mmCIF file of all heavy atoms in Angstrom:
data_model
loop_
_atom_site.group_PDB
_atom_site.id
_atom_site.type_symbol
_atom_site.label_atom_id
_atom_site.label_comp_id
_atom_site.label_asym_id
_atom_site.label_seq_id
_atom_site.Cartn_x
_atom_site.Cartn_y
_atom_site.Cartn_z
ATOM 1 N N HIS A 1 -6.884 -10.871 2.206
ATOM 2 C CA HIS A 1 -7.824 -11.488 3.184
ATOM 3 C C HIS A 1 -7.092 -12.605 3.951
ATOM 4 O O HIS A 1 -6.184 -13.255 3.416
ATOM 5 C CB HIS A 1 -8.992 -12.150 2.413
ATOM 6 C CG HIS A 1 -10.181 -12.446 3.283
ATOM 7 N ND1 HIS A 1 -10.220 -13.563 4.102
ATOM 8 C CD2 HIS A 1 -11.370 -11.804 3.462
ATOM 9 C CE1 HIS A 1 -11.370 -13.610 4.699
ATOM 10 N NE2 HIS A 1 -12.109 -12.517 4.373
ATOM 11 N N GLY A 2 -7.552 -12.853 5.192
ATOM 12 C CA GLY A 2 -6.900 -13.823 5.990
ATOM 13 C C GLY A 2 -6.981 -15.227 5.413
ATOM 14 O O GLY A 2 -6.131 -16.097 5.704
ATOM 15 N N ARG A 3 -8.057 -15.508 4.665
ATOM 16 C CA ARG A 3 -8.179 -16.864 4.035
ATOM 17 C C ARG A 3 -6.976 -17.120 3.167
ATOM 18 O O ARG A 3 -6.454 -18.265 3.065
ATOM 19 C CB ARG A 3 -9.418 -16.892 3.197
ATOM 20 C CG ARG A 3 -10.708 -17.062 4.042
ATOM 21 C CD ARG A 3 -11.901 -17.384 3.173
ATOM 22 N NE ARG A 3 -12.181 -16.334 2.188
ATOM 23 C CZ ARG A 3 -13.027 -15.344 2.362
ATOM 24 N NH1 ARG A 3 -13.713 -15.302 3.456
ATOM 25 N NH2 ARG A 3 -13.231 -14.448 1.410
ATOM 26 N N GLN A 4 -6.467 -16.060 2.483
ATOM 27 C CA GLN A 4 -5.298 -16.239 1.572
ATOM 28 C C GLN A 4 -4.026 -16.454 2.406
ATOM 29 O O GLN A 4 -3.165 -17.155 1.994
ATOM 30 C CB GLN A 4 -5.197 -15.014 0.710
ATOM 31 C CG GLN A 4 -6.316 -14.852 -0.287
ATOM 32 C CD GLN A 4 -6.313 -13.444 -0.898
ATOM 33 O OE1 GLN A 4 -6.564 -12.455 -0.251
ATOM 34 N NE2 GLN A 4 -6.019 -13.411 -2.186
ATOM 35 N N ILE A 5 -3.914 -15.830 3.588
ATOM 36 C CA ILE A 5 -2.786 -16.050 4.421
ATOM 37 C C ILE A 5 -2.781 -17.496 4.876
ATOM 38 O O ILE A 5 -1.768 -18.215 4.795
ATOM 39 C CB ILE A 5 -2.834 -15.144 5.653
ATOM 40 C CG1 ILE A 5 -2.714 -13.671 5.206
ATOM 41 C CG2 ILE A 5 -1.674 -15.504 6.606
ATOM 42 C CD1 ILE A 5 -2.893 -12.723 6.383
ATOM 43 N N ALA A 6 -3.989 -18.058 5.293
ATOM 44 C CA ALA A 6 -4.055 -19.413 5.691
ATOM 45 C C ALA A 6 -3.719 -20.334 4.537
ATOM 46 O O ALA A 6 -2.989 -21.328 4.702
ATOM 47 C CB ALA A 6 -5.496 -19.691 6.191
ATOM 48 N N ALA A 7 -4.174 -20.058 3.307
ATOM 49 C CA ALA A 7 -3.867 -20.865 2.171
ATOM 50 C C ALA A 7 -2.405 -20.846 1.898
ATOM 51 O O ALA A 7 -1.797 -21.944 1.551
ATOM 52 C CB ALA A 7 -4.611 -20.330 0.948
ATOM 53 N N ALA A 8 -1.706 -19.742 2.031
ATOM 54 C CA ALA A 8 -0.268 -19.692 1.785
ATOM 55 C C ALA A 8 0.470 -20.560 2.770
ATOM 56 O O ALA A 8 1.391 -21.323 2.460
ATOM 57 C CB ALA A 8 0.239 -18.254 1.842
ATOM 58 N N LEU A 9 0.061 -20.460 4.079
ATOM 59 C CA LEU A 9 0.757 -21.233 5.084
ATOM 60 C C LEU A 9 0.523 -22.710 4.913
ATOM 61 O O LEU A 9 1.403 -23.547 5.144
ATOM 62 C CB LEU A 9 0.313 -20.761 6.478
ATOM 63 C CG LEU A 9 0.600 -19.279 6.829
ATOM 64 C CD1 LEU A 9 0.078 -19.017 8.251
ATOM 65 C CD2 LEU A 9 2.078 -19.048 6.752
ATOM 66 N N VAL A 10 -0.712 -23.114 4.496
ATOM 67 C CA VAL A 10 -0.997 -24.546 4.251
ATOM 68 C C VAL A 10 -0.167 -25.073 3.093
ATOM 69 O O VAL A 10 0.265 -26.239 3.187
ATOM 70 C CB VAL A 10 -2.531 -24.702 3.973
ATOM 71 C CG1 VAL A 10 -2.802 -26.082 3.389
ATOM 72 C CG2 VAL A 10 -3.354 -24.490 5.245
ATOM 73 N N GLN A 11 0.131 -24.245 2.134
ATOM 74 C CA GLN A 11 0.964 -24.685 1.011
ATOM 75 C C GLN A 11 2.394 -24.895 1.456
ATOM 76 O O GLN A 11 3.121 -25.537 0.702
ATOM 77 C CB GLN A 11 0.932 -23.656 -0.104
ATOM 78 C CG GLN A 11 -0.313 -23.599 -0.921
ATOM 79 C CD GLN A 11 -0.062 -22.905 -2.260
ATOM 80 O OE1 GLN A 11 0.663 -23.407 -3.088
ATOM 81 N NE2 GLN A 11 -0.704 -21.762 -2.491
ATOM 82 N N GLY A 12 2.797 -24.398 2.566
ATOM 83 C CA GLY A 12 4.170 -24.565 3.028
ATOM 84 C C GLY A 12 5.030 -23.320 2.961
ATOM 85 O O GLY A 12 6.191 -23.306 3.227
ATOM 86 N N LEU A 13 4.326 -22.176 2.586
ATOM 87 C CA LEU A 13 5.030 -20.915 2.586
ATOM 88 C C LEU A 13 5.145 -20.334 3.994
ATOM 89 O O LEU A 13 4.450 -20.843 4.896
ATOM 90 C CB LEU A 13 4.258 -19.925 1.709
ATOM 91 C CG LEU A 13 4.242 -20.345 0.154
ATOM 92 C CD1 LEU A 13 3.004 -19.892 -0.484
ATOM 93 C CD2 LEU A 13 5.496 -19.793 -0.530
ATOM 94 N N ASP A 14 6.032 -19.384 4.129
ATOM 95 C CA ASP A 14 6.292 -18.830 5.547
ATOM 96 C C ASP A 14 5.663 -17.522 5.819
ATOM 97 O O ASP A 14 5.804 -17.003 6.944
ATOM 98 C CB ASP A 14 7.828 -18.726 5.634
ATOM 99 C CG ASP A 14 8.549 -20.058 5.548
ATOM 100 O OD1 ASP A 14 8.517 -20.845 6.513
ATOM 101 O OD2 ASP A 14 9.131 -20.316 4.461
ATOM 102 N N GLY A 15 5.007 -16.933 4.887
ATOM 103 C CA GLY A 15 4.361 -15.627 5.083
ATOM 104 C C GLY A 15 3.855 -15.034 3.813
ATOM 105 O O GLY A 15 3.953 -15.618 2.691
ATOM 106 N N VAL A 16 3.283 -13.800 3.917
ATOM 107 C CA VAL A 16 2.761 -13.111 2.797
ATOM 108 C C VAL A 16 3.300 -11.649 2.773
ATOM 109 O O VAL A 16 3.700 -11.095 3.777
ATOM 110 C CB VAL A 16 1.242 -13.061 2.811
ATOM 111 C CG1 VAL A 16 0.661 -14.522 2.716
ATOM 112 C CG2 VAL A 16 0.685 -12.393 4.061
ATOM 113 N N LEU A 17 3.245 -11.081 1.596
ATOM 114 C CA LEU A 17 3.597 -9.712 1.378
ATOM 115 C C LEU A 17 2.374 -8.986 0.871
ATOM 116 O O LEU A 17 1.700 -9.420 -0.062
ATOM 117 C CB LEU A 17 4.713 -9.558 0.337
ATOM 118 C CG LEU A 17 5.102 -8.184 -0.169
ATOM 119 C CD1 LEU A 17 5.714 -7.404 0.984
ATOM 120 C CD2 LEU A 17 6.102 -8.262 -1.330
ATOM 121 N N MET A 18 1.967 -7.867 1.504
ATOM 122 C CA MET A 18 0.716 -7.190 1.157
ATOM 123 C C MET A 18 1.014 -5.660 1.068
ATOM 124 O O MET A 18 1.735 -5.103 1.854
ATOM 125 C CB MET A 18 -0.348 -7.417 2.215
ATOM 126 C CG MET A 18 -0.619 -8.864 2.519
ATOM 127 S SD MET A 18 -1.739 -9.105 3.905
ATOM 128 C CE MET A 18 -3.151 -8.184 3.402
ATOM 129 N N GLY A 19 0.409 -5.062 0.030
ATOM 130 C CA GLY A 19 0.542 -3.586 -0.115
ATOM 131 C C GLY A 19 -0.792 -2.924 -0.292
ATOM 132 O O GLY A 19 -1.191 -2.052 0.449
ATOM 133 N N SER A 20 -1.519 -3.333 -1.347
ATOM 134 C CA SER A 20 -2.762 -2.621 -1.729
ATOM 135 C C SER A 20 -3.783 -2.595 -0.588
ATOM 136 O O SER A 20 -4.492 -1.583 -0.385
ATOM 137 C CB SER A 20 -3.380 -3.239 -2.969
ATOM 138 O OG SER A 20 -2.482 -3.121 -4.070
ATOM 139 N N ARG A 21 -3.855 -3.706 0.141
ATOM 140 C CA ARG A 21 -4.841 -3.792 1.236
ATOM 141 C C ARG A 21 -4.617 -2.753 2.302
ATOM 142 O O ARG A 21 -5.604 -2.334 2.985
ATOM 143 C CB ARG A 21 -4.801 -5.174 1.859
ATOM 144 C CG ARG A 21 -5.776 -5.428 3.005
ATOM 145 C CD ARG A 21 -7.236 -5.292 2.513
ATOM 146 N NE ARG A 21 -8.146 -5.453 3.607
ATOM 147 C CZ ARG A 21 -8.609 -4.420 4.350
ATOM 148 N NH1 ARG A 21 -8.109 -3.159 4.097
ATOM 149 N NH2 ARG A 21 -9.475 -4.560 5.342
ATOM 150 N N PHE A 22 -3.369 -2.285 2.473
ATOM 151 C CA PHE A 22 -3.076 -1.314 3.510
ATOM 152 C C PHE A 22 -3.245 0.138 3.045
ATOM 153 O O PHE A 22 -3.065 1.027 3.851
ATOM 154 C CB PHE A 22 -1.681 -1.515 4.026
ATOM 155 C CG PHE A 22 -1.408 -2.848 4.751
ATOM 156 C CD1 PHE A 22 -0.319 -3.625 4.486
ATOM 157 C CD2 PHE A 22 -2.331 -3.263 5.667
ATOM 158 C CE1 PHE A 22 -0.061 -4.780 5.163
ATOM 159 C CE2 PHE A 22 -2.131 -4.464 6.339
ATOM 160 C CZ PHE A 22 -1.020 -5.243 6.081
ATOM 161 N N LEU A 23 -3.579 0.353 1.811
ATOM 162 C CA LEU A 23 -3.671 1.739 1.280
ATOM 163 C C LEU A 23 -4.721 2.575 1.930
ATOM 164 O O LEU A 23 -4.705 3.790 1.907
ATOM 165 C CB LEU A 23 -3.838 1.733 -0.195
ATOM 166 C CG LEU A 23 -2.627 1.361 -1.065
ATOM 167 C CD1 LEU A 23 -3.032 1.211 -2.544
ATOM 168 C CD2 LEU A 23 -1.556 2.433 -0.917
ATOM 169 N N VAL A 24 -5.727 1.904 2.541
ATOM 170 C CA VAL A 24 -6.835 2.645 3.166
ATOM 171 C C VAL A 24 -6.623 2.729 4.703
ATOM 172 O O VAL A 24 -7.557 3.125 5.428
ATOM 173 C CB VAL A 24 -8.147 1.999 2.833
ATOM 174 C CG1 VAL A 24 -8.451 2.097 1.353
ATOM 175 C CG2 VAL A 24 -8.202 0.528 3.310
ATOM 176 N N CYS A 25 -5.482 2.414 5.172
ATOM 177 C CA CYS A 25 -5.271 2.547 6.625
ATOM 178 C C CYS A 25 -5.058 4.020 6.958
ATOM 179 O O CYS A 25 -4.628 4.798 6.141
ATOM 180 C CB CYS A 25 -4.068 1.725 7.090
ATOM 181 S SG CYS A 25 -2.422 2.363 6.713
ATOM 182 N N GLU A 26 -5.362 4.304 8.206
ATOM 183 C CA GLU A 26 -5.291 5.772 8.612
ATOM 184 C C GLU A 26 -3.874 6.281 8.572
ATOM 185 O O GLU A 26 -3.667 7.515 8.322
ATOM 186 C CB GLU A 26 -5.809 5.889 10.023
ATOM 187 C CG GLU A 26 -7.362 5.656 10.153
ATOM 188 C CD GLU A 26 -7.804 5.754 11.556
ATOM 189 O OE1 GLU A 26 -6.961 5.886 12.482
ATOM 190 O OE2 GLU A 26 -9.064 5.661 11.770
ATOM 191 N N GLU A 27 -2.875 5.452 8.691
ATOM 192 C CA GLU A 27 -1.504 5.935 8.795
ATOM 193 C C GLU A 27 -0.854 6.198 7.430
ATOM 194 O O GLU A 27 0.195 6.747 7.337
ATOM 195 C CB GLU A 27 -0.656 4.865 9.503
ATOM 196 C CG GLU A 27 -1.019 4.715 10.995
ATOM 197 C CD GLU A 27 -2.155 3.740 11.211
ATOM 198 O OE1 GLU A 27 -2.748 3.219 10.263
ATOM 199 O OE2 GLU A 27 -2.434 3.421 12.421
ATOM 200 N N ILE A 28 -1.520 5.755 6.328
ATOM 201 C CA ILE A 28 -1.002 6.041 5.011
ATOM 202 C C ILE A 28 -1.203 7.515 4.686
ATOM 203 O O ILE A 28 -2.301 8.079 4.875
ATOM 204 C CB ILE A 28 -1.731 5.174 3.955
ATOM 205 C CG1 ILE A 28 -1.176 3.778 3.963
ATOM 206 C CG2 ILE A 28 -1.549 5.755 2.555
ATOM 207 C CD1 ILE A 28 0.174 3.637 3.332
#
């Protein structure tokens, strides 16, 4: 979720790695 991306950036991290969330995309 985007809230988690925001939380990671607020902590001082530079980005996120995601896999499971994309499993339902049409291109998979």
Side-chain angles (χ1 to χ4, degrees):
H1 196 282
R3 287 191 297 265
Q4 294 167 293
I5 298 174
L9 297 179
V10 167
Q11 285 199 66
L13 294 149
D14 297 284
V16 297
L17 173 66
M18 304 173 60
S20 297
R21 179 64 184 88
F22 293 136
L23 285 172
V24 295
C25 75
E26 291 178 355
E27 294 85 355
I28 282 284

